[in-house]
Amino acid sequence: MTSTRPALALAGPVLAGLALLAACSGPTASRDDDPATQAPTAGELRVAVISHGTAGDAFWNVVKNGATAAGEQLGVAVDYHSDGDPARQATLVDNAVSQRVGGIVVSLANPDALKTSVQNAVRAGIPVITINSGSGRSAEFGALAHVGQEEDVAGEQAGRRLREAGRGKLLCVIHEAGNIGLDQRCDGARTGFGGTATTLQVDINNPTDVEARIKGALQTDTSVDAVLALNPQVAVSAVNAVKGASSRAAVATFDLNGDVTDAIKAGDVLFAVDQQQYEQGYLPIVMLKLHHDNANTVGGGRPVLTGPGFVDRSNVDRVAEYAERGTR
């Protein structure tokens, strides 16, 4: 079973059109010649996007591309910042508050570390939208909405697909300590898999060690026949580890890049869970623009889901071109 969504290159103009439609259509449509009915504006909107992505992590480059594209299309000034250290990421939020930006988009991988800063932004009257991990804490902190995927649900579906592929023992590789979303993925995978599942902690900043640790785990327990990576760079290391250990384990992963789409084509990766992170950059800018210009909210208190979709050999050729251009 495979599912994907339409290319965001097409979605961009469509969403921009929806924003325009919201202000210009319907039974009380405003008229250009009647100033009293025109939607109010409050000057230029500047949004700070603050992620926990580390330098060189291609995943977050796609998020940045989405936010930048939406800003260009909607006339929103977008400033992108990132820091993998939770305390320093919180400081970036504090800096955005002190600069009185018109909106903040922040990834919530480590909710407890971000709690005070996000709540201070909300108290200062700055609308905040959380993205990626941490959907369960977003409303508690006062955020306007959350954009991402339910990590436990995505993990459960990934585990189920591996079980349906005939696998019986799973190794789930966690590449960032303390990231609540990664723990949820592995917990969900364990539920969906239904067989024996263990986790392995690695450090994404040390690719050589990542490969060595996965290889060592496969050599220590030769009954492991499935490896679930939670990051495309780790997936590449996992493929090399499987080959190095002469293991029969199948590799699956979360998220895409060009290396992963090539590996799917080659049969080295069974499938990738695609949370379509371009949308996690793009949609919050649209949502903040609508809130700024028209007091709109989106989601009704529930997360706006961007995944999971699945990419495998049945659809990889189409998706690969978007991964190459940095929008998938």
Side-chain angles (χ1 to χ4, degrees):
M1 180 179 69
T2 301
S3 63
T4 60
R5 296 185 180 185
L8 268 290
L10 297 177
V14 171
L15 288 166
L18 288 174
L20 183 63
L21 190 64
C24 301
S25 66
T28 57
S30 59
R31 290 164 37 196
D32 290 342
D33 59 350
D34 184 358
T37 61
Q38 292 177 8
T41 61
E44 180 188 69
L45 175 59
R46 178 171 292 276
V47 173
V49 179
I50 302 166
S51 83
H52 68 278
T54 56
D57 188 338
F59 176 92
W60 288 102
N61 289 338
V62 178
V63 177
K64 180 181 178 181
N65 289 344
T68 301
E72 291 174 351
Q73 292 168 12
L74 298 176
V76 176
V78 175
D79 300 319
Y80 180 86
H81 309 277
S82 67
D83 200 307
D85 179 86
R88 290 198 293 267
Q89 188 193 8
T91 299
L92 290 173
V93 175
D94 296 339
N95 292 342
V97 173
S98 66
Q99 293 167 9
R100 297 297 303 169
V101 298
I104 294 175
V105 180
V106 57
S107 63
L108 213 55
N110 294 275
D112 290 336
L114 273 296
K115 179 179 181 179
T116 299
S117 296
V118 171
Q119 289 180 330
N120 285 341
V122 174
R123 290 192 190 100
I126 299 174
V128 176
I129 294 182
T130 59
I131 61 172
N132 197 248
S133 302
S135 63
R137 306 290 300 279
S138 177
E140 171 191 340
F141 296 174
L144 199 64
H146 180 86
V147 179
Q149 71 177 359
E150 297 287 18
E151 302 293 5
D152 53 344
V153 173
E156 185 172 345
Q157 293 190 27
R160 185 177 301 119
R161 287 173 69 100
L162 286 168
R163 183 191 64 193
E164 290 171 352
R167 304 295 163 166
K169 193 164 189 177
L170 172 65
L171 180 68
C172 189
V173 184
I174 297 174
H175 60 270
E176 290 174 352
N179 185 330
I180 187 174
L182 302 185
D183 293 333
Q184 291 171 334
R185 288 177 180 179
C186 285
D187 290 344
R190 184 179 294 106
T191 299
F193 191 64
T196 302
T198 58
T199 59
L200 176 68
Q201 181 72 56
V202 299
D203 180 0
I204 192 173
N205 296 308
N206 190 341
T208 302
D209 187 61
V210 170
E211 181 176 331
R213 285 179 177 273
I214 298 173
K215 179 181 177 182
L218 294 172
Q219 290 173 327
T220 300
D221 186 352
T222 57
S223 65
V224 173
D225 58 4
V227 177
L228 180 60
L230 308 182
N231 174 279
Q233 294 165 232
V234 176
V236 173
S237 296
V239 168
N240 293 335
V242 166
K243 292 179 179 178
S246 298
S247 169
R248 62 187 180 91
V251 176
T253 187
F254 277 69
D255 303 326
L256 290 173
N257 64 13
D259 291 334
V260 167
T261 56
D262 287 345
I264 292 173
K265 292 178 183 177
D268 292 330
V269 169
L270 193 60
F271 64 82
V273 181
D274 184 13
Q275 64 175 297
Q276 303 178 117
Q277 73 270 31
Y278 186 88
E279 294 180 337
Q280 296 177 13
Y282 191 99
L283 294 178
I285 303 302
V286 176
M287 293 159 69
L288 286 170
K289 176 65 172 172
L290 285 169
H291 184 70
H292 175 268
D293 290 355
N294 207 46
N296 289 121
T297 60
V298 178
R302 299 289 183 91
V304 177
L305 300 182
T306 63
F310 287 89
V311 178
D312 57 22
R313 296 187 80 171
S314 70
N315 63 350
V316 67
D317 288 338
R318 177 169 173 76
V319 174
E321 63 178 294
Y322 305 129
E324 286 295 328
R325 76 179 185 190
T327 60
R328 289 293 291 268

